[in-house]
């Protein structure tokens, strides 16, 4: 069974920064056997992929809307995924979720995960004000 717990969201002014974390608990599975991704759902919108990172962390993908501002990383020793968000904009306001799966889908493929292994967690809310 795989469980995720996102944290780090909050209220920030435009131009500010936040660092999101996602701790994974996966009984019987090894964290570094899976690719990891961040998703977000803005009010009234569908959930969308934000970024994805390979098992070892050496390959990353980003949505065009966040490229150059967000950085995804992982600490396999801590079973933790991170998203450093800089130069935040009001349009980044959303609930952010993490997921793990077999491999990343590239932005060309739709930016997400192949065979996502977890159910969605509670997410962490990010609110960016002007």
């Amino acid at each position: 069974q795989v469980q995720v717990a996102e944290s780090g969201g909050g209220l920030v002014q435009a131009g500010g920064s936040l660092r999101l974390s996602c701790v994974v608990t996966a009984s019987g599975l090894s964290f570094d056997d899976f690719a990891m991704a961040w998703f977000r759902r803005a009010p009234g919108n569908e959930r969308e992929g934000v970024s994805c990172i390979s098992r070892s962390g050496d390959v990353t993908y980003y949505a065009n809307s966040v490229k150059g501002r967000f950085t995804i990383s992982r600490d396999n020793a801590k079973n933790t995924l991170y998203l450093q968000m800089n130069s935040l904009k009001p349009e980044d306001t959303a609930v952010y979720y993490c997921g793990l799966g077999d491999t990343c889908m590239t932005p060309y493929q739709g930016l997400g995960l192949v065979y996502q292994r977890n159910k969605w967690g509670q997410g962490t809310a990010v609110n960016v004000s002007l």
Side-chain angles (χ1 to χ4, degrees):
Q1 185 178 1
V2 179
Q3 293 183 320
V4 299
E6 303 96 342
S7 63
L11 175 62
V12 63
Q13 288 189 323
S17 298
L18 284 172
R19 189 193 195 202
L20 306 185
S21 298
C22 167
V23 177
V24 177
T25 304
S27 58
L29 301 174
S30 179
F31 179 73
D32 54 9
D33 282 343
F34 299 99
M36 296 289 301
W38 285 100
F39 301 83
R40 67 185 181 187
R41 176 178 279 171
N45 288 0
E46 302 264 329
R47 199 182 332 249
E48 63 175 356
V50 174
S51 184
C52 193
I53 188 167
S54 64
R55 301 172 185 184
S56 61
D58 57 346
V59 179
T60 57
Y61 302 100
Y62 296 93
N64 287 336
S65 58
V66 307
K67 197 175 295 182
R69 301 186 298 120
F70 289 11
T71 302
I72 191 171
S73 62
R74 63 190 294 164
D75 185 337
N76 287 346
K78 295 181 179 180
N79 284 16
T80 303
L81 174 73
Y82 302 101
L83 186 68
Q84 177 66 44
M85 305 188 297
N86 298 329
S87 303
L88 282 161
K89 304 176 180 180
E91 50 264 44
D92 294 319
T93 294
V95 178
Y96 285 71
Y97 303 87
C98 64
L100 74 166
D102 286 5
T103 58
C104 288
M105 294 171 60
T106 69
Y108 183 76
Q109 296 170 318
L111 191 54
L113 293 164
V114 174
Y115 191 26
Q116 185 165 335
R117 298 298 186 111
N118 65 294
K119 295 181 180 180
W120 296 113
Q122 295 289 323
T124 185
V126 172
N127 197 319
V128 185
S129 63
L130 287 169

